[in-house]
Amino acid sequence: MTRSSASIWALAFLSLAAATLALFAARNQLGEAHVALVFLLVVLGASAAGGRILGISTALIAFLAFDWFFLPPYNTLLVRNPFDWLVLFVFLITSIVAAQLLY
């Protein structure tokens, strides 16, 4: 991995962390769609800047962060509402397809 490539990976994951922190601060006012759209933008940026592997890696971590921080019960990987499973998997599929298309 070159220094430039490592910088792009670091920037992608720092962007995801910053987006997560910003969304977490407003978690009570946001719906799942807001979180999914912001995370999708981060995934698209990572895919455009670093390619398919970075895009898919970012999508998988965003998927876990989405579930952990923004779907009740919070701070678990459990999902109570079946609709939330649909939201999570549609987000993951959309992110992976977008990463592939940008590649």
Side-chain angles (χ1 to χ4, degrees):
M1 182 178 279
T2 65
R3 187 174 189 160
S4 173
S5 177
S7 297
I8 292 171
W9 277 71
L11 181 61
F13 291 120
L14 285 173
S15 298
L16 184 58
T20 302
L21 286 172
L23 290 167
F24 187 77
R27 178 170 70 178
N28 294 331
Q29 292 84 25
L30 298 176
E32 289 87 5
H34 300 107
V35 176
L37 289 173
V38 171
F39 279 173
L40 187 57
L41 285 175
V42 174
V43 170
L44 291 174
S47 299
R52 175 180 26 192
I53 301 299
L54 178 57
I56 292 172
S57 299
T58 307
L60 291 172
I61 293 172
F63 173 87
L64 293 173
F66 192 173
D67 186 11
W68 186 267
F69 293 111
F70 301 104
L71 294 178
Y74 300 120
N75 304 322
T76 67
L77 294 177
L78 300 174
V79 177
R80 224 183 295 159
N81 185 350
F83 177 73
D84 290 341
W85 278 113
L86 176 66
V87 171
L88 275 173
F89 283 112
V90 168
F91 166 75
L92 184 62
I93 290 167
T94 303
S95 297
I96 291 172
V97 168
Q100 179 65 26
L101 290 174
L102 279 170
Y103 176 71

